[in-house]
Amino acid sequence: LELLRLVTSALHKCFQYDLRGNATQSAINSKFVSKARVELIRPSLVKQLSLSELDTDYVHACVVPCIAQLAAAAGSDVLWKPLNNHVLMTTRDPAAAVRLSSLK
């Protein structure tokens, strides 16, 4: 679980310090969070909400902020919609801890 904590923390920092890409920035300063990367990371990150049954502290301290930062870094309704849908689908989980983590 410690490895997951470190990986999630690293992703959170990548999303947090991601540059907001625009037309005036050079290719070197391009945005790290692209549509392809969001679609690649989203399912695995949202699945970690189900770990609430094992370690609620990890999910609330690492996974929930990471998902929120991913949404902020994505910066597009086109990318927010599937992310929101995946998170809301976890509210149907039979475990109360998972449903609570999904709503945080």
Side-chain angles (χ1 to χ4, degrees), residues 3-104:
L3 180 61
L4 282 175
R5 188 180 303 272
L6 293 172
V7 169
T8 307
S9 176
L11 283 173
H12 181 265
K13 285 180 178 64
C14 283
F15 303 148
Q16 185 176 4
Y17 296 109
D18 186 37
L19 296 172
R20 302 292 183 241
N22 61 32
T24 61
Q25 292 178 333
S26 67
I28 296 171
N29 292 331
S30 65
K31 193 172 175 183
F32 174 76
V33 178
S34 64
K35 181 179 179 182
R37 288 189 178 121
V38 169
E39 290 174 353
L40 184 68
I41 294 169
R42 179 186 63 231
S44 301
L45 201 53
V46 173
K47 280 183 188 175
Q48 287 191 28
L49 289 171
S50 65
L51 294 175
S52 293
E53 294 178 287
L54 302 175
D55 191 357
T56 306
D57 294 335
Y58 160 68
V59 173
H60 290 181
C62 296
V63 177
V64 171
C66 188
I67 291 173
Q69 203 61 50
L70 173 62
S76 168
D77 289 343
V78 174
L79 299 175
W80 288 336
K81 208 174 208 182
L83 177 62
N84 191 33
N85 184 34
H86 276 83
V87 171
L88 289 175
M89 291 303 281
T90 60
T91 61
R92 295 181 176 184
D93 196 279
V98 176
R99 292 192 306 265
L100 179 63
S101 295
S102 300
L103 295 174
K104 286 207 176 244

